[in-house]
């Protein structure tokens, strides 16, 4: 076949009924050599719809099989995902002149319902609900688009408490409800999209079959068709979001990431059954609501909305590389147990209601209990209470006794240690007293010696002074008579000076020794008066 020429400014083209080719723009090529291009082919899709496809073509290829299974009693899910501004909301809802998947689905449902009424099939009722999951600070919140309910709670059974379901009888009534809900949906303008969706919008259509009895009519089974329009993933440099818009972008990107992780975990589990299915759905409110579909128990169809322009190459390549492996997920062994469980719950609730009515009409006769039986029951109950109380008191007392024994043992050990310390302190005190008595005797002897030495020093000083005076007189008389006498005089004076210095040194040593003795005496007295100061 001839190669399809790629129009200018386009990086994505359809190469077959289930494959596309993505070409890297010249501005983003690493190797800019002439004639060198990089093209990547993605295949395995159920259908590839080019930009010139109509809404009816998309409905026929994508939504029609889900609607047929829904009318046959099986639940299904359609999810539209892609980058911001790729046409997801237009594909799902469309316009008044060009209706999307939701209006076309409602038209087919009521057309099939009108046809079935003429046959032998049981009549059916349809209920519509519409809500959105949006960002609230750093958390998530559910907003009912068909009522003014403020508090909606997502329960563990993947049902929303407080969500309003409106009974619909025609396609026109259902479309008016959807239009009214779209007016309440959160949208805002960004640099990438003038009317960007800021929430995950979900529409559910529930079909209920009815069986008419003679007494009452109750729904016996139900299937649910869910359509989800996810907000598009955004890049900050393309949208220019700031403040609250940036928080919304983080919420949208995080929800898309968790949704992709759930599908990747399902694919890995199908490839290897021994590998446990990871519970990524717990990280987002949207995935918790769609848990049955993300775990492979119900069928899901995924629409990838991509933009083929070269400027959108980064978003397109990221989405195709992320979502192309999801095409390998197979829903061969669908588990309809959830529908059966819901049917059983409704049947059980109806049976309970009927039983209550019967109980009101036919009240059973009260049982007759004698006084002896009442007394025996009372005595046995009191005995059981006393037995339980005794067991509790016994366990508490045993615990207290064991604790007190441990405490007494520790106290005995502590007293032994204290007695040993007291004996050691007494021995030290006796040693100190003996030492103090010896020191006192030594101090008395040293004081006597010092007094004797002081008297000797005083007499020696007097003798020295007398000798120096005598020498001076002799020198004065003999200085002028004989030169030899003058030299002798010099010798005598020098010797007297030496004697004076030696005497001064002795005085200093005596003062030091007296100070030392005084300190020793004071220390000994201190030890005698206060032994604990040591």
């Amino acid at each position: 076949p001839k190669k399809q020429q790629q129009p200018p400014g386009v990086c994505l083209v359809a190469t077959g009924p289930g494959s596309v080719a993505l070409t890297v723009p010249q501005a983003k090529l690493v190797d800019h050599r002439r004639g060198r291009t990089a093209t990547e082919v993605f295949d395995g899709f159920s259908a590839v719809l080019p930009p010139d496809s109509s809404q009816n073509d998309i409905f026929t290829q994508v939504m029609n099989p889900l609607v047929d299974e829904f009318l046959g009693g099986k639940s299904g899910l359609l999810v539209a995902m892609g980058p911001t501004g790729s046409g997801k909301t237009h594909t799902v809802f469309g316009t008044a002149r060009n209706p999307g998947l939701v209006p076309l689905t409602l038209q087919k449902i009521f057309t099939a319902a009108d046809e079935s009424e003429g046959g032998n099939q049981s009549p059916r009722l349809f209920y519509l609900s519409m809500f959105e999951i949006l960002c609230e600070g750093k958390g998530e919140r559910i907003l009912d688009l068909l009522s003014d309910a403020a508090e909606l709670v997502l329960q563990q059974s993947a049902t929303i408490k407080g969500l309003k379901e409106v009974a619909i009888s025609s396609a026109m009534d259902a479309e008016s409800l959807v239009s009214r809900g779209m007016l309440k949906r959160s949208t805002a303008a960004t640099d990438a999209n003038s009317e960007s969706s800021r929430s995950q919008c979900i529409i559910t259509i529930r079909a209920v079959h009815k069986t008419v009895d003679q007494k009452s009519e109750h729904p016996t089974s139900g299937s649910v068709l869910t359509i989800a329009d996810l907000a598009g993933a955004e890049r900050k440099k393309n949208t220019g979001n700031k403040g609250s818009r940036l928080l919304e972008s983080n919420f949208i990107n995080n929800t898309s990431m968790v949704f992709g992780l759930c599908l990747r975990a399902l694919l890995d589990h199908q490839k290897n059954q021994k590998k446990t299915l990871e519970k990524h759905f717990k990280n987002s409110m949207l995935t918790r609501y769609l848990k049955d579909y993300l775990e492979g128990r119900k069928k899901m169809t995924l629409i990838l909305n991509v933009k083929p322009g070269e400027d959108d190459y980064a978003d397109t390549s990221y989405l195709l590389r992320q979502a192309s492996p999801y095409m390998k997920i197979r829903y061969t062994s669908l588990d309809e147990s959830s529908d059966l469980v819901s049917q059983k719950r409704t049947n059980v609730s109806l049976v309970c209601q009927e039983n209550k009515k019967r109980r009101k009409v036919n009240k059973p006769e009260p049982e007759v209990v004698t006084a002896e039986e009442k007394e025996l029951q009372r005595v046995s109950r009191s005995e059981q209470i006393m037995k339980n109380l005794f067991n509790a008191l016994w366990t508490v007392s045993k615990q207290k006794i064991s604790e007190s024994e441990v405490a007494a043992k520790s106290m005995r050990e502590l007293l032994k240690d204290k007695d040993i310390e007291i004996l050691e302190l007494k021995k030290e005190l006796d040693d100190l007293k003996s030492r103090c008595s010896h020191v006192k005797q030594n101090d008395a002897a040293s004081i006597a010696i010092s007094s004797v030495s002081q008297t000797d020093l005083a007499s020696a000083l007097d003798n020295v002074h007398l000798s120096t005076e005598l020498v001076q007189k002799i020198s004065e008389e003999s200085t002028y008579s004989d030169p030899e006498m003058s030299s002798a005089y010099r010798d005598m004076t020098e010797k007297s000076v030496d004697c004076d210095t030696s005497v001064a040194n002795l005085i200093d040593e005596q003062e030091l020794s007296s100070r030392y003795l005084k300190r020793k005496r004071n220390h000994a007295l201190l030890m005698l008066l206060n032994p604990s100061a040591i």
Side-chain angles (χ1 to χ4, degrees), residues 319-506:
L319 180 62
L320 290 176
R321 288 171 185 170
Q322 179 192 21
S324 59
Y326 303 157
M327 303 302 109
K328 299 177 183 178
I329 297 175
R330 295 290 177 262
Y331 295 94
T332 54
S333 58
L334 295 177
D335 184 10
E336 297 297 333
S337 60
S338 58
D339 294 336
L340 295 175
V341 168
S342 63
Q343 296 173 17
K344 289 179 181 178
R345 287 177 180 172
T346 54
N347 294 333
V348 168
S349 64
L350 294 174
V351 169
C352 292
Q353 292 176 2
E354 292 177 358
N355 290 335
K356 286 181 180 179
K357 291 179 181 178
R358 290 174 184 174
R359 288 170 189 169
K360 290 180 181 178
V361 175
N362 300 320
K363 291 184 178 180
E365 295 181 359
E367 296 181 359
V368 178
V369 181
T370 61
E372 293 181 356
E373 291 179 353
K374 289 183 179 180
E375 185 66 22
L376 288 174
Q377 291 177 0
R378 188 182 63 79
V379 170
S380 62
R381 191 180 302 111
S382 61
E383 287 179 355
Q384 186 66 30
I385 291 170
M386 292 300 294
K387 186 178 179 180
N388 295 335
L389 179 61
F390 176 75
N391 291 331
L393 291 173
W394 177 247
T395 54
V396 171
S397 61
K398 284 197 297 185
Q399 185 179 0
K400 294 292 184 182
I401 289 168
S402 61
E403 290 177 356
S404 61
E405 288 178 353
V406 172
K409 187 177 179 180
S410 61
M411 287 297 295
R412 284 195 294 269
E413 293 178 355
L414 184 61
L415 288 173
K416 287 181 181 179
D417 296 336
K418 292 295 182 182
D419 291 337
I420 293 169
E421 290 180 0
I422 290 169
L423 292 174
E424 290 178 355
L425 290 172
K426 285 182 178 180
K427 289 180 181 180
E428 290 179 359
L429 183 61
D430 295 335
D431 294 337
L432 288 173
K433 286 182 178 180
S434 62
R435 290 177 185 175
C436 289
S437 62
H438 290 300
V439 168
K440 192 172 181 181
Q441 293 175 2
N442 293 330
D443 289 339
S446 61
I447 290 167
I449 293 168
S450 62
S451 62
V452 173
S453 59
Q454 286 179 359
T455 53
D456 293 338
L457 283 172
S459 61
L461 283 172
D462 294 333
N463 294 329
V464 169
H465 286 300
L466 290 174
S467 60
T468 50
E469 291 176 359
L470 181 60
V471 169
Q472 286 178 0
K473 288 180 182 180
I474 295 168
S475 61
E476 289 176 359
E477 292 177 356
S478 60
T479 303
Y480 300 101
S481 61
D482 192 0
E484 293 180 358
M485 292 297 292
S486 61
S487 62
Y489 167 71
R490 293 191 196 96
D491 295 336
M492 289 294 291
T493 53
E494 291 176 0
K495 289 179 180 180
S496 64
V497 170
D498 294 335
C499 186
D500 291 334
T501 54
S502 61
V503 170
N505 292 330
L506 287 172

Side-chain angles (χ1 to χ4, degrees), residues 10 66 139 141 203 271 284 293 375 393 403 414 454 468:
V10 174
L66 285 176
R141 184 168 66 93
I203 296 176
K271 288 181 179 179
S284 173
Y293 301 96
E375 185 66 22
L393 291 173
E403 290 177 356
L414 184 61
Q454 286 179 359
T468 50

Side-chain angles (χ1 to χ4, degrees), residues 53-316:
S53 301
S54 64
Q55 297 278 44
N56 288 321
D57 295 337
I58 299 173
F59 178 81
T60 303
Q61 290 282 346
V62 179
M63 199 67 199
N64 200 29
L66 285 176
V67 176
D68 291 338
E69 292 181 356
F70 167 69
L71 294 174
K74 294 182 179 180
S75 299
L77 169 66
L78 173 74
V79 178
M81 63 181 299
T84 181
S86 59
K88 298 181 296 301
T89 304
H90 176 74
T91 302
V92 174
F93 295 99
T95 59
R97 294 183 178 181
N98 193 12
L101 297 180
V102 172
L104 295 175
T105 300
L106 293 170
Q107 291 174 12
K108 180 170 182 179
I109 287 173
F110 284 100
T111 301
D114 294 337
E115 293 175 357
S116 64
E117 286 181 359
N120 296 325
Q121 295 182 4
S122 60
R124 284 177 292 189
L125 295 177
F126 297 98
Y127 296 89
L128 177 71
S129 63
M130 185 176 180
F131 64 94
E132 65 177 354
I133 302 174
L134 67 159
C135 173
E136 186 179 25
K138 294 184 178 180
E140 297 174 282
R141 184 168 66 93
I142 302 176
L143 179 64
D144 193 350
L145 298 178
L146 299 183
S147 69
D148 297 330
E151 295 183 359
L152 299 179
V153 180
L154 179 60
Q155 299 175 338
Q156 292 184 355
S157 59
T159 57
I160 300 175
K161 183 180 179 181
L163 181 65
K164 183 179 180 181
E165 278 190 335
V166 182
I168 51 177
S169 57
S170 65
M172 187 176 297
D173 294 339
E175 290 178 13
S176 64
L177 285 173
V178 172
S179 300
R180 190 176 68 185
M182 288 297 293
L183 293 175
K184 292 178 64 177
R185 189 180 179 185
S186 301
T187 58
T190 63
D191 294 346
N193 190 357
S194 60
E195 195 174 351
S196 175
S197 301
R198 314 309 296 167
S199 63
Q200 326 291 347
C201 182
I202 300 173
I203 296 176
T204 59
I205 305 169
R206 187 166 62 90
V208 178
H209 296 268
K210 296 176 64 179
T211 58
V212 181
D213 299 332
Q214 295 180 357
K215 296 181 180 180
S216 62
E217 55 180 21
H218 299 297
T220 59
S221 64
S223 57
V224 179
L225 179 62
T226 306
I227 303 174
D229 177 23
L230 304 187
E234 298 178 342
R235 294 177 183 266
K236 183 181 177 182
K237 64 179 181 180
N238 296 336
T239 59
N241 290 335
K242 296 179 181 178
S244 60
R245 293 287 172 267
L246 186 59
L247 289 176
E248 292 173 351
S249 297
N250 294 335
F251 157 72
I252 293 168
N253 295 337
N254 181 66
T255 304
S256 301
M257 180 189 70
V258 174
F259 187 80
L261 288 175
C262 293
L263 292 176
R264 173 65 70 177
L266 178 60
L267 178 61
D268 294 341
H269 177 67
Q270 289 184 355
K271 288 181 179 179
N272 185 8
Q273 295 292 332
K274 295 181 180 179
K275 186 176 181 180
T276 58
L277 182 62
E278 297 183 9
K279 307 295 183 181
H280 293 294
F281 64 86
K282 296 181 180 180
N283 299 324
S284 173
M285 193 173 287
L286 173 71
T287 51
R288 290 205 305 272
Y289 181 75
L290 304 176
K291 179 180 70 171
D292 291 340
Y293 301 96
L294 296 174
E295 290 184 345
R297 290 196 289 269
K298 295 181 182 179
K299 188 176 180 180
M300 177 176 62
T301 300
L302 190 64
I303 296 179
L304 303 180
N305 291 74
V306 293
K307 295 186 284 186
E310 290 184 351
D311 296 337
D312 303 308
Y313 168 78
D315 294 334
T316 302

